[in-house]
Amino acid sequence: MRPDSRAPALEIGDLSVAITTDEGEAQILDCAGLVLQHGSIHGVVGESGCGKSTLLKAVLGVLPKRGRIDAGSIRLEGRELVGLTRETLEREVRGRQVGFIPQDPFQALNPVFRIETQLAESLATHGLRGSSSGSAPRPDRRAMRAHLVSLLRAVQLPDAEEALARYPHQFSGGQRQRLLIAAALACSPGIVLADEPTTALDVTTQLQILKLLRELAGERSLSMLFVTHDFGVVAQLCDTVTVMYAGQTVETGPVRQVLEHPKHPYTRLLLACHPDRAKELAGIPGAVPSPIAPPPGCRFHPRCPDARAACAAARPRPVSLGKDHAVACVLYGEGDG
């Protein structure tokens, strides 16, 4: 199926994901949704346990064996991914159309294999340029090596040719993250999913990686979904943002609009926790609820200072506030700003 050029790069609608655990059924995502436009960097922000990483796993089709999609849609350039087999996703989507940058650069690389071997793995599977034709030919070693060198230069890793012969332990944390970015770009995907890739890095290195990602997105016309718990990262990198709480989407919109005019009580409180944006630091009382026994309606209402009876009656639907800004909260009616 050919991509629909008129469709968003990625569109997730009313996605619900459950995982069966020994303690019971965990509803990790509850009608979550977002839209990633072509050439845009879209942030997904929220506390730990809000379902951000599960959202990425659902897109990639790598949910745990006891996990399942109960409802909703995941459309990649107009193509529905929900219902495709793991084999189809592995052959046609992961690596070729969608690259992935994992969180921890110290664990994601195999310590016993040279960098060339690890970066070449996806190329050997999908072909040098990730061709979508039936069975892509295996690239010859010279062409593969030249492509890998160009990738390492693209992520600004020093001594690219020598780096291919080295092992992961011979690189710093920032350099390892550059290697993981190179791996995500190996088959020239149009979309990259990044799962908090700067969390384990110091502040200076984090800024360098964010700058690199922004440059690569512009140079390669990439669409990027960037998961983070840090609004500061969102402000530096992203064009648009979705705020999630306990598996639900609570607010979405252009970054500047959401940062300067947050509407959902959770978004406002989350921003108040950030040292760079708050005049006086504040915390959010309570904790993210267990997905096994979440509260009814809006899952934030037990912690919300503006909660009312209607909040527990039903999960609020997103309300458009104009300029692609939407909020799921009973405090707002259609057209409210």
Side-chain angles (χ1 to χ4, degrees):
M1 175 180 177
R2 290 186 177 181
D4 182 354
S5 59
R6 298 167 298 178
L10 180 68
E11 187 171 13
I12 301 173
D14 290 337
L15 189 66
S16 295
V17 172
I19 297 177
T20 303
T21 72
D22 294 338
E23 290 76 30
E25 196 83 351
Q27 193 70 43
I28 307 298
L29 295 179
D30 178 29
C31 293
L34 58 82
V35 176
L36 171 64
Q37 299 292 351
H38 288 278
S40 175
I41 302 179
H42 188 94
V44 182
V45 66
E47 293 172 275
S48 297
C50 75
K52 306 185 300 293
S53 295
T54 298
L55 194 73
L56 299 190
K57 291 177 182 177
V59 174
L60 294 168
V62 292
L63 291 172
K65 289 184 178 180
R66 300 173 78 181
R68 67 181 185 278
I69 294 175
D70 284 338
S73 173
I74 303 173
R75 291 188 176 273
L76 179 67
E77 296 184 327
R79 181 189 187 186
E80 180 61 66
L81 300 186
V82 175
L84 296 182
T85 64
R86 282 190 175 233
E87 291 75 17
T88 300
L89 290 168
E90 173 67 31
R91 184 177 65 251
E92 300 179 11
V93 176
R94 290 198 294 272
R96 288 190 182 185
Q97 292 182 276
V98 182
F100 176 65
I101 306 173
Q103 181 179 123
D104 193 342
F106 296 97
Q107 295 187 14
L109 294 167
N110 192 317
V112 301
F113 291 107
R114 297 179 190 273
I115 296 304
E116 181 174 2
T117 301
Q118 298 188 57
L119 293 181
E121 184 176 352
S122 60
L123 293 177
T125 301
H126 300 300
L128 183 58
R129 293 295 176 186
S131 170
S132 58
S133 58
S135 56
R138 293 176 64 88
D140 64 77
R141 182 176 175 81
R142 182 179 298 177
M144 179 185 289
R145 183 176 178 83
H147 183 53
L148 295 182
V149 169
S150 71
L151 280 173
L152 296 191
R153 287 173 177 162
V155 298
Q156 301 169 18
L157 195 73
D159 303 320
E161 294 192 32
E162 291 80 0
L164 290 176
R166 294 159 64 186
Y167 291 90
H169 74 271
Q170 296 175 291
F171 297 89
S172 67
Q175 289 174 331
R176 293 187 198 191
Q177 196 56 268
R178 292 173 190 270
L179 291 170
L180 294 178
I181 294 171
L185 300 177
C187 291
S188 302
I191 297 174
V192 171
L193 310 183
D195 188 7
E196 302 200 58
T198 60
T199 297
L201 306 176
D202 63 74
V203 176
T204 301
T205 305
Q206 181 183 87
L207 290 174
Q208 294 171 352
I209 295 299
L210 293 177
K211 182 175 182 289
L212 172 64
L213 289 173
R214 171 57 80 176
E215 291 174 354
L216 289 171
E219 293 168 359
R220 295 171 176 253
S221 299
L222 291 173
S223 308
M224 187 178 299
L225 197 61
F226 192 98
V227 161
T228 180
H229 64 274
D230 189 345
F231 255 120
V233 170
V234 169
Q236 295 175 64
L237 180 69
C238 301
D239 304 302
T240 51
V241 63
T242 290
V243 183
M244 291 185 64
Y245 179 79
Q248 295 179 337
T249 298
V250 299
E251 187 165 359
T252 188
V255 166
R256 184 172 179 178
Q257 182 75 10
V258 173
L259 292 181
E260 295 181 358
H261 306 285
K263 298 301 183 182
H264 198 280
Y266 177 63
T267 308
R268 293 200 296 267
L269 289 172
L270 202 59
L271 283 168
C273 294
H274 199 281
D276 292 339
R277 303 201 62 83
K279 295 181 180 179
E280 186 174 330
L281 284 179
I284 305 177
V288 177
S290 166
I292 296 176
C298 173
R299 293 185 174 183
F300 186 61
H301 81 262
R303 304 172 70 188
C304 182
D306 301 316
R308 53 197 64 188
C311 300
R315 177 179 49 80
R317 299 295 300 176
V319 174
S320 175
L321 303 178
K323 297 181 180 179
D324 300 318
H325 192 178
V327 62
C329 181
V330 300
L331 297 177
Y332 301 89
E334 287 293 345
D336 289 348

